[in-house]
Amino acid sequence: MIHSLNFRLLAAFGLVIVIIIGAAFFFANRAARAEIGRIGEQIELSQVRKMEGLLSTYFFGNRNWEGIQPYVVELGDIYGRRIILTDASNTVVADSAEELIGTSYSVDTGSQGRKMMPPWAARSIGTLHVDTTEPSEINKAAMQLAFNSIGRFFIWGGLIAVVVALILTFVLSRRILSPVKALTKASRKLGKGDFSQRVNVGDRGEVGELAESFNTMAGDLEHNERLRRNMVADVAHELRTPLSNLNGYLEAIRDGVIKPDAETIRSLSEEAATLSGLVNDLQELSLADAGELKLAYQPEDISTLIKEAVAAVRTRANAKKIKLSADLSAGLPRINIDSQRIKQVLNNLLANAVAHTESKGNITVTAQLKANEIITSVTDTGEGISAEDLPNIFERFYRVDKSRARSTGGSGLGLTIAKRLVEAHGGKIWAESEPGKGSTFSFTLPVTR
């Protein structure tokens, strides 16, 4: 529970709220203390002025300070202060504590001395000293009441704010974490092999981007899983036919039905070559996928390689009465490549073109220099490739001919291997096609001068 994101969000927001409320209370308390202190000083001053007025009235009513002591004691009891009254000669004439009467008074830092000189008097009639070291009971009560009110306000306000904030945090965290939980649930199912999992999140922020990335990943995994299953089926199919033929020939030889003559051995060799070719293709593809395909670079003339590749398939093209030609630009520069690998790319593209071009069709190989790279194209007048199949033709074991007929192709790895080999040379390969009119396969190779 304490490790859940929901709990950590609640704890984090709760801590932030408590800190904010505490800081607000601290600063408000300091401001309130300062304001209440200022008000208290004003109250003290007002009380002292009132005492001064009452005592001045007493003096001018009696023409002296005689009999003032009980009056000062009563004022001290009313205001909760020690009041000391001195005459013009600084002799104490009244003390609410009844201790210093008749003595000469020395000013105490804790008392507030105010010379009493009413507007109608020509000179000072005395000095009023009020002890302000401790607040009076009245002032204490007023300040305590103010502090209690402020404290209750902040306590209840803070509690309400914390409760409301926690409720909002809980609701918002559930809303935020809902797509995360959906992603977690879907990823668990995805990990168990259910690649149909998708997450529908309406959020356009980071969580929405995460959901889109998850859906893209799930789609890619589903596509790769489908290709893997097709690959297993295709490999099994491709292996089954030559293995069945080999097994049939061997059983026939063992039973004496046929003799191991040159023709039989040739047939066995062809079937073994088919198996060997498929295994070699799979091995090359695995090395290319792992980035461990070793290339022997050296300067080569691409025109020579193209002519050799064309010569290698000419017999098959002539057998189908296909016109095979090469249209090469003059003066093509030598390029740093692995000649055997590039010849393998050309052989794959030409073999596909011959296999998918009807009798009396045309196949043309072109090569030209453009923007510091040589573009080589193989164009045929075959049946073409549909727009639906065109994006997938470089996928392993993907074949437009779903019947897996040997007459229309081999294992389905040729174009995939060609793509890996071209990319290993720093080039790119693509196809353009129109159903019923033919196809053009092109690849580029960088020129290093």
Side-chain angles (χ1 to χ4, degrees):
M1 174 65 180
I2 60 174
H3 297 293
S4 68
L5 186 57
N6 195 8
F7 176 82
R8 284 183 283 179
L9 282 174
L10 286 173
F13 282 121
L15 181 62
V16 170
I17 291 165
V18 169
I19 292 174
I20 291 174
I21 294 297
F25 179 78
F26 173 76
F27 289 111
N29 182 53
R30 292 195 60 174
R33 281 181 178 274
E35 184 64 20
I36 290 174
R38 187 181 64 81
I39 294 173
E41 291 175 357
Q42 291 179 351
I43 292 174
E44 296 287 350
L45 181 60
S46 175
Q47 290 174 351
V48 171
R49 285 176 177 173
K50 188 172 183 180
M51 293 179 199
E52 182 182 354
L54 292 172
L55 293 175
S56 297
T57 302
Y58 179 91
F59 179 86
F60 283 99
N62 293 283
R63 299 292 180 178
N64 56 47
W65 291 115
E66 292 183 5
I68 193 63
Q69 175 62 23
Y71 195 42
V72 170
V73 171
E74 184 178 0
L75 288 176
D77 292 338
I78 291 173
Y79 291 106
R81 300 285 188 184
R82 182 178 182 180
I83 301 172
I84 297 175
L85 179 63
T86 61
D87 58 13
S89 62
N90 202 33
T91 300
V92 177
V93 294
D95 182 3
S96 61
E98 300 181 355
E99 295 177 357
L100 301 176
I101 299 174
T103 63
S104 178
Y105 183 71
S106 60
V107 177
D108 188 1
T109 57
S111 65
Q112 183 177 351
R114 287 181 62 88
K115 287 187 176 295
M116 294 185 293
M117 187 179 292
W120 56 83
R123 59 186 178 83
S124 173
I125 61 175
T127 304
L128 176 64
H129 300 274
V130 180
D131 187 4
T132 58
T133 55
E134 291 291 337
S136 66
E137 294 300 325
I138 295 176
N139 293 346
K140 284 183 180 180
M143 291 181 182
Q144 189 65 37
L145 181 63
F147 274 117
N148 289 342
S149 299
I150 294 172
R152 282 197 301 270
F153 171 77
F154 270 101
I155 290 173
W156 284 107
L159 289 175
I160 293 173
V162 168
V163 171
V164 172
L166 289 178
I167 292 174
L168 289 176
T169 302
F170 179 76
V171 173
L172 291 175
S173 65
R174 284 180 63 88
R175 184 174 180 180
I176 293 171
L177 295 178
S178 177
V180 176
K181 291 181 178 178
L183 282 168
T184 302
K185 183 178 179 181
S187 62
R188 287 175 179 170
K189 291 184 178 180
L190 189 70
K192 294 179 180 179
D194 184 4
F195 299 110
S196 63
Q197 290 297 312
R198 300 292 185 274
V199 179
N200 295 321
V201 178
D203 190 353
R204 296 183 179 179
E206 289 80 359
V207 178
E209 292 179 1
L210 178 61
E212 289 181 4
S213 299
F214 175 85
N215 292 337
T216 301
M217 178 191 68
D220 292 341
L221 288 174
E222 186 176 21
H223 176 68
N224 291 335
E225 176 64 13
R226 184 166 59 251
L227 291 178
R228 185 190 66 81
R229 291 177 181 177
N230 292 338
M231 181 188 71
V232 172
D234 286 336
V235 169
H237 176 81
E238 295 297 330
L239 291 174
R240 185 183 298 114
T241 302
L243 285 174
S244 297
N245 292 339
L246 284 171
N247 188 50
Y249 277 114
L250 292 174
E251 287 182 358
I253 293 172
R254 183 189 61 190
D255 296 338
V257 176
I258 60 175
K259 295 180 180 181
D261 53 16
E263 181 65 24
T264 303
I265 293 174
R266 185 186 62 78
S267 298
L268 290 172
S269 179
E270 288 179 356
E271 298 300 337
T274 301
L275 285 173
S276 178
L278 178 60
V279 172
N280 289 336
D281 287 347
L282 288 171
Q283 185 179 19
E284 284 193 354
L285 194 56
S286 65
L287 289 174
D289 288 340
E292 298 178 357
L293 194 63
K294 290 181 173 54
L295 301 176
Y297 290 99
Q298 62 181 6
E300 296 287 351
D301 183 0
I302 189 68
S303 298
T304 301
L305 295 181
I306 293 173
K307 291 175 183 178
E308 291 175 356
V310 168
V313 298
R314 188 172 295 281
T315 302
R316 278 178 283 172
N318 291 338
K320 293 181 67 174
K321 297 181 181 180
I322 297 173
K323 183 181 178 182
L324 182 60
S325 61
D327 182 10
L328 308 177
S329 298
L332 290 176
R334 298 172 71 84
I335 53 177
N336 199 33
I337 57 174
D338 186 327
S339 60
Q340 295 302 318
R341 297 298 188 182
I342 296 303
K343 189 180 293 185
Q344 185 179 356
V345 172
L346 290 168
N347 289 336
N348 282 336
L349 296 181
L350 287 169
N352 272 345
V354 171
H356 293 280
T357 301
E358 298 295 333
S359 178
K360 298 181 181 181
N362 294 316
I363 297 176
T364 304
V365 183
T366 62
Q368 58 179 330
L369 179 64
K370 186 178 181 180
N372 205 33
E373 61 183 9
I374 293 179
I375 303 176
T376 304
S377 301
V378 177
T379 304
D380 63 61
T381 57
E383 69 268 20
I385 305 170
S386 67
E388 180 184 357
D389 292 317
L390 194 60
N392 303 313
I393 58 174
F394 291 103
E395 297 287 348
R396 63 188 68 192
F397 290 106
Y398 187 90
R399 288 186 297 181
V400 177
D401 177 19
K402 301 298 189 289
S403 66
R404 301 192 183 101
R406 284 180 175 271
S407 62
T408 57
S411 63
L413 294 174
L415 289 178
T416 307
I417 293 174
K419 183 174 185 291
R420 298 290 191 275
L421 292 176
V422 169
E423 290 175 348
H425 281 80
K428 60 181 179 178
I429 188 170
W430 68 95
E432 299 169 334
S433 183
E434 186 176 349
K437 293 186 178 181
S439 306
T440 298
F441 286 80
S442 304
F443 65 93
T444 63
L445 293 172
V447 175
T448 304
R449 297 189 181 276

